[in-house]
Amino acid sequence: MTWTQTELDALKRAYASGTLRVSYDGKLVEYGSEADLLRRIRVIEREVQASSGSSRPSHSYAAFSKG
């Protein structure tokens, strides 16, 4: 499915404001919970990153032990 930056921005604004109702491009969508809304945001972010060829930065941590 093709996602738009407009949709992603609308979802992030709704999440930040604490509302579950999102309006974009003449559409109105109501999510059942904050978790549902956040899950949709993450899915779209991954799709956008994959289509743009960029990946999330990875981090690793070194651990040391004396014994």
Side-chain angles (χ1 to χ4, degrees), residues 41-62:
I41 290 169
R42 298 298 176 235
V43 165
I44 295 173
E45 285 177 334
R46 281 193 302 270
E47 291 287 327
V48 168
Q49 287 175 349
S51 68
S52 69
S54 65
S55 62
R56 293 178 84 180
S58 64
H59 299 275
S60 59
Y61 299 94

Side-chain angles (χ1 to χ4, degrees), residues 19-24 27-33 36-37:
T19 186
L20 299 176
R21 191 172 283 175
V22 181
S23 163
Y24 61 92
K27 299 175 187 174
L28 179 65
V29 179
E30 188 165 347
Y31 291 88
S33 68
D36 292 340
L37 179 57

Side-chain angles (χ1 to χ4, degrees), residues 1-39:
M1 181 167 226
T2 303
W3 310 106
T4 65
Q5 189 63 44
T6 303
E7 181 179 1
L8 182 57
D9 293 343
L11 291 168
K12 287 181 175 183
R13 276 193 307 275
Y15 185 77
S17 69
T19 186
L20 299 176
R21 191 172 283 175
V22 181
S23 163
Y24 61 92
D25 294 336
K27 299 175 187 174
L28 179 65
V29 179
E30 188 165 347
Y31 291 88
S33 68
E34 283 187 3
D36 292 340
L37 179 57
L38 186 58
R39 208 172 3 258

